[in-house]
């Protein structure tokens, strides 16, 4: 399999869309469609013909570009079965654990409810690549709009268990700097986290994205993936608490941070 060409495309105020292109087959996959114009611009510049769109969840800032991009022709739109009634323009649906073949790649759907009720994260093991939408962010996680803390914690645990450390993870938003500030406020003597916060601040000062991250970096520095770490629970004053309760405390503190 040839190397894929990956383009991170800033959209709206802080959204990301990602294009993955296979030069051999011409397959061009878009993950999420926050708005059409910036994505169409990259397609026009590169000459890539869009063949597939994967949608993580139903929120407008992830789907509003679908119709205009589909109008270019030859595009198959794939999304979560459990949110199909709330997303216009889906051609194929996936459930938890199902796989799709997109050009040369196998794509596995992983159900990760919490931010919304039925979103999917997508894993392309052959490319060591995953897309987590608004579930797992770099050093953070999505807000709980349609699920409770235990549900989101279970989703994050699934990602932590399934995705190998070297997986490059693309998330739906550039929230990393604020997430890093919050993470260092609760996880006060984590050297890896302190170092990463400095890197993130430097990257943002240069106007560079902080996405993708890796599962290895998230395991080391993302407090929301470490709600079962007794040392972190202790820092929150929650000695011997259930991980889901530690997660709930982290999420509610982040909501007002
Ligand atoms: Zn969202
Ligand atoms: Fe979003």
């Amino acid at each position: 399999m040839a190397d894929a060409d990956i383009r991170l495309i800033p959209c709206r105020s802080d959204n990301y869309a990602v294009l993955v292109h296979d030069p051999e087959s011409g397959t061009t996959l878009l993950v999420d469609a926050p708005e059409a114009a910036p994505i169409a611009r990259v397609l026009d510049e590169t000459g890539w013909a869009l063949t597939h769109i994967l949608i993580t969840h139903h929120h407008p800032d992830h789907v509003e570009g679908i119709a205009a991009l589909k109008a270019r022709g030859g595009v198959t739109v794939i999304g979560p079965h459990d949110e199909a009634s709330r997303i216009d323009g889906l051609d194929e649906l996936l459930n938890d654990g199902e796989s799709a073949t997109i050009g040369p790649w196998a794509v596995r759907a992983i159900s990760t409810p919490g931010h919304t009720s039925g979103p999917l994260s997508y894993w392309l093991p052959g490319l060591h690549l995953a897309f987590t939408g608004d579930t797992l962010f770099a050093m953070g996680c999505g807000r709980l709009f349609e699920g409770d803390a235990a549900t989101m914690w279970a989703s994050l645990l699934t990602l932590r268990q399934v995705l190998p450390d070297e997986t490059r993870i693309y998330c739906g938003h550039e929230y990393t700097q604020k997430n890093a500030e919050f993470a260092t406020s609760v996880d006060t003597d984590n050297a890896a986290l302190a170092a990463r916060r400095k890197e993130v601040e430097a990257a943002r000062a240069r106007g560079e994205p902080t996405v993708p991250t890796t599962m290895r970096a998230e395991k080391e520095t993302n407090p929301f993936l470490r709600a079962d770490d007794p040392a972190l629970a202790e820092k929150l004053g929650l000695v011997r608490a259930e991980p889901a309760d530690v997660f709930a405390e982290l999420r509610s503190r982040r909501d007002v941070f």
Side-chain angles (χ1 to χ4, degrees), residues 15 57 61-62 134 173:
N15 279 85
H57 68 292
D61 63 311
H62 298 258
D134 290 359
H173 292 267

Side-chain angles (χ1 to χ4, degrees), residues 3-6 19-24 26-29 48-49 105:
D3 267 355
D5 199 338
I6 301 175
L19 280 171
V20 186
H21 175 73
D22 174 55
E24 253 167 50
T27 306
T28 303
L29 165 66
W48 299 345
W105 310 306

Side-chain angles (χ1 to χ4, degrees), residues 1 19 24 34 46 70 87 106 110 114 125 139 151 157 177 181 201 204 208 240-241 247 249:
M1 192 179 356
L19 280 171
E24 253 167 50
T46 54
K70 225 180 155 175
I87 303 171
I110 304 169
M139 281 188 273
T151 302
L157 265 188
Q177 191 164 351
E181 285 169 31
E201 284 170 350
R204 295 308 293 154
E208 293 169 6
R240 280 187 291 278
F247 175 86
E249 176 68 15

Side-chain angles (χ1 to χ4, degrees), residues 7 24 30 33 65 79 100 103 115 120 133 143 150 156 166 169 197 202 231 237 239:
R7 295 291 183 95
E24 253 167 50
L30 171 70
H115 175 68
L120 293 176
R143 279 179 186 264
L156 294 175
E166 68 274 14
I169 298 174
R197 179 179 169 176
V239 178

Side-chain angles (χ1 to χ4, degrees), residues 159-171:
L159 292 173
R160 194 180 80 182
Q161 284 158 1
V162 168
L163 301 178
D165 283 355
E166 68 274 14
T167 309
R168 290 169 293 168
I169 298 174
Y170 286 84
C171 53

